[in-house]
Amino acid sequence: MELKPIIEVKDLHFSYKKSQILCGVDLHLFKGEVVSLLGPNGCGKSTLIKLILKLLYGKGEILLHEKSIEEYSHKEIASHIAYIPQYHHVPFGYSVLEMVLMGRVSKLGIFASPSSHDHFIALEALKKAGILGLKDRIFGQLSGGQKQLVLFARAIAQEVDTFIMDEPVNGLDYGNQMRLLEFIDELSREGYTFLKTTHYPDHALLISSRTVVMNGGKIISDGKPGEVITAPMIQDVYGVNAEIITHDAHKRCIPIFR
């Protein structure tokens, strides 16, 4: 039986004012994959994610479970996909538990309040993320790494199995970056699906099942991380001399300074 993609993007174009941002992008995401989107600033990675989530509108076709994204409301999209943004500023003093309960919105009626079941799901999500002890803390007072884990817990509370993330480790220290990547890897082994943007070739090599490289609004490479992330690609896309080495059967990208 042919495997059907969760998300399929066909010949997608997007312009902002007079600037062409995306030009003929084709992309697919299958269940259980961890797909990393690599590329320099301004290449269209974040724009592509916003188009998939129907936060922007372009020309082309985007399918979610073989149905046009145009046929979904934003609430319906949230019942299939959890979005974890790059930045998350909360102007009010919500607690961690309240933040995670927001992930239940797509399951509630218009005027419904979270039930005891919703609270149970939220607490279980916090436990899965390893941060149950933070449930009564104010979200805005947490560290960057803690905030990202709270957003992960909120995504888990949505009870979906597909996550889209825009530079999830941005602004995190090295330890929190590795802990977050480990958490993504653990969830992927449980059957969750990920599409994430990153600026770090090493991160793509660490946990991705597939790597997609964007440049100039186009996808220039799509395949296994070890085949896509090469020294010539790093030079072409980033203008950096690098060497790809193998350590304990895992490939690493090492920049070379002249």
Side-chain angles (χ1 to χ4, degrees):
M1 187 173 70
E2 185 183 359
L3 188 63
K4 301 292 185 182
I6 295 171
I7 295 169
E8 191 169 8
V9 175
K10 300 179 180 179
D11 194 27
L12 189 61
H13 296 254
F14 180 80
S15 297
Y16 180 72
K17 295 182 179 178
K18 295 182 179 180
S19 298
Q20 185 83 29
I21 308 299
L22 296 180
C23 184
V25 168
D26 295 292
L27 180 71
H28 56 270
L29 180 68
F30 290 100
K31 181 174 176 58
E33 286 192 301
V34 178
V35 176
S36 291
L37 278 175
L38 277 175
N41 288 331
C43 72
K45 301 188 301 297
S46 295
T47 298
L48 175 57
I49 280 179
K50 289 175 182 176
L51 286 160
I52 291 172
L53 295 167
K54 213 170 101 168
L55 301 176
L56 293 173
Y57 297 88
K59 294 180 180 178
E61 190 173 20
I62 301 172
L63 303 177
L64 174 60
H65 295 298
E66 300 184 273
K67 189 171 85 172
S68 172
I69 201 73
E70 299 301 324
E71 298 180 39
Y72 290 87
S73 67
H74 287 104
K75 185 174 180 179
E76 288 170 336
I77 292 172
S79 70
H80 294 281
I81 299 172
Y83 173 50
I84 301 175
Q86 182 180 161
Y87 301 107
H88 199 89
H89 173 67
V90 178
F92 304 106
Y94 290 114
S95 71
V96 165
L97 180 56
E98 287 170 331
M99 286 293 296
V100 176
L101 278 168
M102 290 178 193
R104 303 297 297 163
V105 169
S106 63
K107 311 292 183 185
L108 301 175
I110 297 175
F111 301 109
S113 297
S115 66
S116 58
H117 176 69
D118 294 314
H119 277 82
F120 173 78
I121 295 295
L123 291 170
E124 287 298 302
L126 284 166
K127 190 183 298 182
K128 192 176 189 69
I131 52 171
L132 183 60
L134 299 178
K135 67 182 178 67
D136 297 319
R137 293 275 301 277
I138 301 300
F139 177 79
Q141 297 175 358
L142 300 180
S143 70
Q146 289 171 327
K147 286 179 180 177
Q148 282 300 95
L149 287 173
V150 172
L151 296 181
F152 255 110
R154 185 176 71 177
I156 292 168
Q158 282 181 234
E159 292 188 304
V160 300
D161 56 13
T162 302
F163 294 71
I164 291 182
M165 300 175 292
D166 195 6
E167 297 180 32
V169 302
N170 188 54
L172 303 187
D173 64 42
Y174 186 72
N176 279 319
Q177 287 182 20
M178 293 304 109
R179 279 185 278 275
L180 208 58
L181 290 175
E182 238 182 342
F183 190 44
I184 292 170
D185 190 49
E186 287 172 11
L187 291 176
S188 72
R189 294 174 191 277
E190 294 177 20
Y192 289 90
T193 304
F194 292 88
L195 174 63
K196 65 180 184 68
T197 68
T198 180
H199 283 304
Y200 301 100
D202 260 350
H203 293 180
L205 286 166
L206 269 172
I207 65 168
S208 302
S209 54
R210 186 156 56 91
T211 296
V212 176
V213 182
M214 294 186 67
N215 201 14
K218 299 178 180 179
I219 289 177
I220 62 170
S221 192
D222 183 344
K224 293 181 179 179
E227 296 173 359
V228 167
I229 300 171
T230 64
M233 184 280 284
I234 298 296
Q235 176 61 53
D236 290 344
V237 172
Y238 296 103
V240 172
N241 291 314
E243 182 180 351
I244 308 300
I245 66 168
T246 301
H247 176 70
D248 286 343
H250 295 287
K251 290 190 175 184
R252 299 287 185 267
C253 179
I254 308 296
I256 300 171
F257 295 102
R258 304 227 178 251

